[in-house]
Amino acid sequence: MRAEELKALQKEAIEEVLAAYPEKTAKNRSKHLGVGAPDDESQKTCGGVRSNKKSAPGVMTQRGCAYAGSKGVVWGPVKDMVHISHGPIGCGQYSRGGRRNYYIGTTGVDTFVTVNFSTDFQERDIVFGGDKKLQQAIDEINDLFPLNHGITVQSECPIGLIGDDIQAAARKKSAETGKTVVAVSCEGFRGVSQSLGHHIANDTIRDIMFPLSDEVNKDFVATPYDVAIIGDYNIGGDAWSSRILLEEMGLRVIAQWSGDSTFKEITAGPKAKLNLLHCYRSMNYVARHMEKEYGIPWMEYNFFGPSKIEASLRAIAKHFGPEIEKKAEEVIAKYKAITEAVIAKYKPRLEGKTVMLYVGGLRSRHIIGAYEDLGMEVIGLGYEFAHDDDYQRTKEEVSGSVLVYDDVNEYELEKFVDKLRPDLVASGVKEKYVFQKMGLPFRQMHSWDYSGPYHGYDGFAIFARDIEMAVNSPVWAHNTAPWD
């Protein structure tokens, strides 16, 4: 399809969706839908869309909540701390172990990521309060799991509604036990999405963890090449793949958080010479604080696909000078033959195929380059909880006309996909089976559809294999949607 025809089809898709809405809803949603292009100077953000606004009432948003942003993303993957879901059991169970944050350790002994700790609120706790129950839970945890290095309290919606003072309870138990207890007021109703939960969690790291840095890291010996990986949650082992490349080019990773991270690593954050930020949306707040407070510069990096890996390695190396730059080139050369073989194998089978993306607050733009390395074209993308600066950054990544949809609901996404008929849809688990029933190949891009890692050179080989298997599987030719 020619570029002009594609752009016209994308605009037509938006018009058809908006025509189905009442006037007020159509006006609201029109601000979050657009057609973007890298050379469109009239658009400040990709597609000119607005973001980080309340979802339209009555539609099925794909967003999560502030609790999910704190417990499921920022704090939950910290492996040697216990994370209590303070409230009814449902939120804790739903958020337990769903994102495949890989970690090394003995579960239930010195690592606790996939264990569900909950205060299991009942009706009486709503009436009489749950402070005593929380304190009892902290005591039980310290008795049962004495090797934990601290506890976080992740508050669910009822806590804010009934006014439980979790901060006071945390201070009391921290003083009694000598272990750090972090109270995170991340009730799900706060903000418009999980994005505020990231921010709240970042603030607790800033206020509680960083002041412990010198005390916890008394034996720390600095080098000129100390870096911290921030905002990588080690989905399927991603952070490990990234760490390999950084260490091969001569850097020392003193902390990676929060995937496979520890209490000590987070407190070591202020010791880094450079912060390497993977997930901008979830961790830029704390990176900016560290730059202002400790003078630690930060930079984004992207290890999805060889083109972006090479660019990121060179940008990181440039910060440290000629010696590291030379080693970075050696790393790139080392893996060149491997990536060329992967591309030679899979690109002929994927060349010209189209993909539509809808993921979180970062990956839709980060993953574009990896698809393009395989010859695929991104024709639609959006985010669940991105902010305007995310869409500004997205404009720099797209190479052609794209349909842009912020906080897209189920109705819109189905209509857009049906109209554009991409060769692949890459989104979250809630959307997976709808599009597979439509007879469209799908990859779940929140936790790699139980595959991975996708970061790094080794990860690119796995990514290319998975995408090719999805797109070219013969099963789609034999599938008819139930409603057809």
Side-chain angles (χ1 to χ4, degrees):
M1 186 184 298
R2 291 184 304 171
E4 297 82 4
E5 294 175 343
L6 175 61
K7 190 172 184 179
L9 190 64
Q10 291 165 339
K11 290 183 176 180
E12 186 179 310
I14 293 176
E15 292 171 1
E16 290 181 4
V17 161
L18 294 177
Y21 285 135
E23 182 180 352
K24 187 176 181 179
T25 304
K27 183 179 179 180
N28 176 300
R29 288 302 300 155
S30 66
K31 300 173 184 177
H32 299 266
L33 307 173
V35 177
D39 57 351
D40 192 337
E41 297 181 0
S42 66
Q43 297 177 339
K44 186 177 179 181
T45 64
C46 192
V49 301
R50 298 291 304 279
S51 59
N52 197 36
K53 305 295 182 184
K54 290 182 179 180
S55 300
V59 302
M60 184 61 76
T61 178
Q62 310 290 18
R63 284 173 166 173
C65 64
Y67 162 85
S70 175
K71 201 270 184 179
V73 178
V74 177
W75 274 113
V78 181
K79 64 183 181 181
D80 63 350
M81 297 179 71
V82 169
H83 310 288
I84 303 175
S85 294
H86 187 35
I89 190 63
C91 297
Q93 177 58 21
Y94 182 77
S95 64
R96 183 197 63 84
R99 295 193 72 228
R100 301 175 65 244
N101 308 106
Y102 281 9
Y103 58 92
I104 296 170
T106 305
T107 300
V109 178
D110 57 358
T111 51
F112 310 97
V113 176
T114 54
V115 183
N116 182 8
F117 295 91
S118 172
T119 47
D120 189 22
F121 257 48
Q122 304 296 316
E123 288 184 15
R124 64 179 177 274
D125 302 308
I126 301 295
V127 176
F128 297 108
D131 286 351
K132 291 182 179 179
K133 194 170 193 177
L134 173 61
Q135 293 179 44
Q136 181 184 354
I138 293 171
D139 289 337
E140 290 178 359
I141 286 168
N142 284 323
D143 287 341
L144 292 169
F145 306 101
L147 296 183
N148 80 77
H149 282 79
I151 295 172
T152 72
V153 181
Q154 307 289 326
S155 54
E156 300 173 21
C157 286
I159 307 309
L161 294 173
I162 65 176
D164 269 8
D165 192 349
I166 62 171
Q167 308 294 335
R171 286 193 298 270
K172 178 182 177 183
K173 283 300 163 185
S174 186
E176 289 179 3
T177 64
K179 290 188 176 182
T180 300
V181 181
V182 182
V184 191
S185 297
C186 55
E187 293 87 359
F189 57 75
R190 292 178 180 268
V192 301
S193 71
Q194 56 263 58
S195 180
L196 184 60
H198 304 148
H199 202 158
I200 293 169
N202 280 200
D203 287 350
T204 59
I205 292 173
R206 175 198 68 194
D207 296 339
I208 298 174
M209 302 297 281
F210 288 166
L212 301 173
S213 182
D214 291 336
E215 178 186 347
V216 174
N217 299 279
K218 293 176 182 177
D219 300 328
F220 184 87
V221 179
T223 77
Y225 305 114
D226 294 341
V227 299
I229 296 174
I230 299 180
D232 191 321
Y233 304 103
N234 207 32
I235 306 299
D238 281 342
W240 296 334
S241 297
S242 299
R243 187 167 184 150
I244 288 170
L245 299 180
L246 296 171
E247 291 176 347
E248 283 186 347
M249 65 189 281
L251 303 179
R252 185 176 76 154
V253 180
I254 64 168
Q256 63 176 53
W257 38 286
S258 43
D260 192 37
S261 68
T262 63
F263 174 91
K264 188 172 184 178
E265 282 184 78
I266 294 181
T267 62
K271 307 292 185 184
K273 298 296 190 297
L274 175 68
N275 282 327
L276 298 175
L277 184 59
H278 174 65
C279 184
Y280 173 86
R281 181 70 277 133
S282 62
M283 287 288 197
N284 79 87
Y285 317 102
V286 76
R288 294 178 189 277
H289 166 76
M290 294 170 78
E291 182 176 43
K292 180 180 179 181
E293 186 69 21
Y294 305 107
I296 304 172
W298 61 275
M299 62 187 300
E300 288 187 79
Y301 72 98
N302 182 352
F303 280 178
F304 285 116
S307 297
K308 296 301 181 183
I309 295 172
E310 288 183 17
S312 292
L313 288 176
R314 288 178 174 135
I316 294 167
K318 187 176 181 180
H319 178 85
F320 290 98
E323 182 181 346
I324 299 299
E325 287 182 287
K326 180 176 180 294
K327 290 182 178 179
E329 292 302 325
E330 292 172 357
V331 171
I332 292 169
K334 173 184 175 181
Y335 291 97
K336 196 75 172 179
I338 296 173
T339 56
E340 287 178 349
V342 170
I343 291 172
K345 180 177 181 179
Y346 293 110
K347 189 172 183 177
R349 308 178 195 179
L350 295 171
E351 187 95 53
K353 301 291 186 181
T354 57
V355 58
M356 290 179 66
L357 307 168
Y358 183 61
V359 197
L362 171 88
R363 286 182 181 158
S364 288
R365 68 178 170 91
H366 257 202
I367 204 75
I368 291 172
Y371 284 110
E372 291 180 344
D373 285 338
L374 295 171
M376 301 181 73
E377 180 185 4
V378 176
I379 60 172
L381 62 84
Y383 304 97
E384 295 173 13
F385 52 83
H387 295 201
D388 286 354
D389 53 351
D390 295 298
Y391 285 101
Q392 290 169 4
R393 286 169 165 77
T394 301
K395 190 177 178 184
E396 301 169 4
E397 300 295 334
V398 298
S399 57
S401 179
V402 290
L403 173 60
V404 186
Y405 30 82
D406 175 65
D407 185 27
V408 71
N409 57 57
E410 289 184 355
Y411 165 75
E412 292 171 352
L413 190 57
E414 288 179 34
K415 288 294 183 182
F416 290 152
V417 169
D418 193 46
K419 185 77 174 180
L420 271 60
R421 300 301 294 187
D423 296 295
L424 176 73
V425 181
S427 187
V429 68
K430 294 187 290 294
E431 300 87 72
K432 177 180 176 70
Y433 301 106
V434 172
F435 296 116
Q436 287 186 334
K437 288 175 182 177
M438 289 172 66
L440 290 172
F442 187 95
R443 285 303 296 176
Q444 199 266 87
M445 296 301 287
H446 282 296
S447 58
W448 309 152
D449 242 338
Y450 315 103
S451 182
Y454 281 177
H455 286 191
Y457 289 112
D458 294 337
F460 177 67
I462 297 171
F463 170 78
R465 178 204 66 190
D466 289 352
I467 298 304
E468 193 278 329
M469 281 197 303
V471 170
N472 293 315
S473 172
V475 70
W476 308 117
H478 302 282
N479 193 40
T480 302
W483 47 90
D484 291 336

